[in-house]
Amino acid sequence: MVGLSTGLWTPTDRSTCLHCGAHVTDRFRRVFGDDRDRAHRCGECDSYARLSRGSAAGKDIASPDPETSPGRHGGESDV
């Protein structure tokens, strides 16, 4: 007889950024994510400077957010 678990199983997809939905690797989540290996921000929606300071782990960072400060993600502003 095969043993089956009768508990509820809730699938969780941790391979996406919680902010923008972009794919993130397991390694990115382990290195930059929170204590549950979830990425709150990623390279698609935030700058490396902010990610390395903890934004991917869900921490508030003092440096400008690329979404609210144009030109902060390596490009020029659309002004």
Side-chain angles (χ1 to χ4, degrees):
M1 175 176 223
V2 176
L4 299 174
S5 172
T6 59
L8 293 175
W9 179 72
T10 306
T12 56
D13 184 12
R14 293 191 221 165
S15 63
T16 58
C17 172
L18 295 173
H19 185 76
C20 72
H23 173 75
V24 291
T25 64
D26 291 342
R27 183 172 183 195
F28 180 88
R29 290 185 291 109
R30 281 193 309 270
V31 172
F32 293 105
D34 64 15
D35 59 350
R36 294 172 57 193
D37 291 343
R38 297 175 305 172
H40 295 258
R41 298 292 292 260
C42 71
E44 293 294 319
C45 62
D46 212 345
S47 65
Y48 180 74
R50 288 176 44 85
L51 293 171
S52 64
R53 289 180 177 89
S55 69
K59 296 179 181 177
D60 289 328
I61 306 302
S63 61
D65 188 334
E67 287 188 341
T68 58
S69 299
R72 296 283 182 172
H73 203 256
E76 296 296 320
S77 67
D78 295 328
V79 178

